[in-house]
Amino acid sequence: MTDRILTTHAGSLPRTPELTRLLVARDQRRAFDVAELEEVTADAVAATVAAQLATGLDLINDGEVPRVGFSTYVLERIEGFGGAGHRKPTLDSVRFPDYAAFQAKQIVEGADVARVWDPPMAQGQLLYDPTLSGITADLDGFERELAVQAGHARTPAGTFFSAATPGIVSTTLLLDAANPFYGDDRAYVFALAEQLRIEYEAIVARGHVLQLDAPDLAMERVIHFGDATLEEFLAAVDLHVDALNHAIRNIPREQVRLHVCWGNWQGPHQDDVPVDVLLPHLYRARVGAFSIPLGNPRHQHEAPAFREHPLPEGALLIPGVVDVTTNYLEHPQVIANRIVEVAEAVGDPTRVIAGTDCGLSTFASYEFVATDVAWAKLGALVEGAAIASKRLFGS
């Protein structure tokens, strides 16, 4: 039991320009200095861990700073991908051509950006790196900095480590129709589940809570499934949850938290599927906590849905109470109001942990919030949680 609202975030935190440059170069298969990347990454992890502790966050991670992106990093750990796919445009871009043109101006052709919309496809048999070198290096770097901070800074209430889900990988790194190993999406997503299971179990074995990043369970309604019916999309959600459950079958549910979102781009989001439609499907996941955005103009009104659709027994809710697409700095009282509304809808404040809507740098080179503002937002989150705690717990 807790007598206050704990704080966390959705995983990714700002990277330095130097690290972004090197990560994008590696992602684009251009020449880069390996030793420099290792040094810059270690420095970034150290600074990110220290900053989280100094800010007052309770549940922390490595900020995902060693990865080029929250989902495409798996290209460096699973073989079987090649070529280039072409993801569909968002329904925002289809319905609002002026918005699409505005967005196109934000990225200059030939600029150094991560491969988000044209990443490789699954062309062969999937096989996770048997040496586990990538995930081991990330975990080692995080734990090394935790050890450095021990005794010099606050001890965090807990740690977590992020990993992509089979569903988001399958809708980002598309299945090549000519792949001789996987004849349909079901075969592909379950193959991914079996390979990603290796990474999931490695994270939990090191004592960290596993955060599963699954924007496919909401966001892909307006991308991959943009021309599908709602029923077809929800069937895909159920399939992806089944694959997810298969991948975490050996992990206690209290060691897993699931992050679901509608995408953290600056767009209208008018076609986002409502959360009350999703919750019965999301609740099928064998996880101990659900991280869901509620701090943005499109979804803040949906907090009452958790009264209509109560959390599964024993599960926690990590509501996003800070928007990660705008440089507006939320007032702590605004954040406190959001937390209290969610806690009242859930019916038990001990089952609520305050978080952010999504990551603040889900892909290197695709940031919407300035670094100093991002950290100010996290500071406001901590202040807002303290205010909410007084209102909810009386202390």
Side-chain angles (χ1 to χ4, degrees), residues 55-73:
T55 300
L57 292 166
D58 295 301
L59 309 174
I60 70 170
N61 73 338
D62 68 342
E64 298 177 21
V65 294
R67 305 175 180 184
V68 71
F70 81 97
S71 57
T72 55
Y73 77 91

Side-chain angles (χ1 to χ4, degrees), residues 27 68-75 81-88 114-122 164-176 185 188-189 192 213-217 219-220 223-225 240 265 362-363:
D27 184 56
V68 71
F70 81 97
S71 57
T72 55
Y73 77 91
V74 301
L75 290 166
F81 296 98
H86 298 283
R87 299 182 71 197
K88 298 176 182 178
R115 292 179 295 174
V116 176
W117 295 99
D118 60 346
M121 305 179 73
T165 58
I168 191 56
V169 175
S170 71
T171 52
T172 302
L173 309 178
L174 305 177
L175 176 64
D176 192 323
D185 288 336
Y188 177 37
V189 76
L192 282 166
D213 290 324
D216 55 295
L217 302 180
M219 175 185 75
E220 293 299 335
I223 305 179
H224 192 75
F225 298 98
H240 290 185
W265 63 82
T362 51
F363 286 95

Side-chain angles (χ1 to χ4, degrees), residues 5 7 22 38 51 74 80 83 89 117 147 151 178-179 292 325 340 348 390 392:
I5 298 293
T7 57
L22 291 163
E38 291 178 353
V74 301
W117 295 99
N179 189 310
I292 299 177
T325 67
V340 170
D348 181 354
K390 291 180 181 179
L392 293 166

Side-chain angles (χ1 to χ4, degrees), residues 2-136:
T2 179
D3 60 356
R4 66 183 179 89
I5 298 293
L6 298 179
T7 57
T8 188
H9 58 89
S12 66
L13 296 171
R15 301 172 182 84
T16 63
E18 295 78 12
L19 179 57
T20 293
R21 173 180 60 82
L22 291 163
L23 289 172
V24 171
R26 184 176 66 180
D27 184 56
Q28 294 182 349
R29 302 297 188 265
R30 294 187 284 105
F32 67 95
D33 188 318
V34 175
E36 181 186 10
L37 175 58
E38 291 178 353
E39 180 180 354
V40 171
T41 298
D43 290 344
V45 171
T48 300
V49 171
Q52 289 175 85
L53 294 173
T55 300
L57 292 166
D58 295 301
L59 309 174
I60 70 170
N61 73 338
D62 68 342
E64 298 177 21
V65 294
R67 305 175 180 184
V68 71
F70 81 97
S71 57
T72 55
Y73 77 91
V74 301
L75 290 166
E76 299 163 7
R77 301 181 184 181
I78 301 177
E79 68 176 43
F81 296 98
H86 298 283
R87 299 182 71 197
K88 298 176 182 178
T90 67
L91 290 184
D92 283 357
S93 296
V94 174
R95 306 231 194 277
F96 294 89
D98 289 349
Y99 162 76
F102 173 82
Q103 286 296 95
K105 293 179 182 178
Q106 308 307 305
I107 299 178
V108 179
E109 185 175 354
D112 289 340
V113 294
R115 292 179 295 174
V116 176
W117 295 99
D118 60 346
M121 305 179 73
Q123 296 183 326
Q125 186 172 15
L126 304 178
L127 180 64
Y128 196 93
D129 175 12
T131 70
L132 275 66
S133 59
I135 185 60
T136 300

Side-chain angles (χ1 to χ4, degrees), residues 90-92 95 218-223 230 233 261-265 267-275 277-278 293 296-299 301-302:
T90 67
L91 290 184
D92 283 357
R95 306 231 194 277
M219 175 185 75
E220 293 299 335
R221 174 71 184 108
V222 301
I223 305 179
L230 177 60
F233 169 68
C261 75
W262 290 268
N264 66 339
W265 63 82
H269 286 272
Q270 78 291 334
D271 292 300
D272 286 0
V273 59
V275 74
V277 173
L278 287 175
N296 61 78
R298 192 70 193 183
H299 294 281
H301 71 286
E302 295 187 309

Side-chain angles (χ1 to χ4, degrees), residues 337-353:
N337 290 344
R338 293 172 178 171
I339 294 171
V340 170
E341 182 182 17
V342 173
E344 290 176 345
V346 169
D348 181 354
T350 67
R351 299 178 69 183
V352 174
I353 298 171

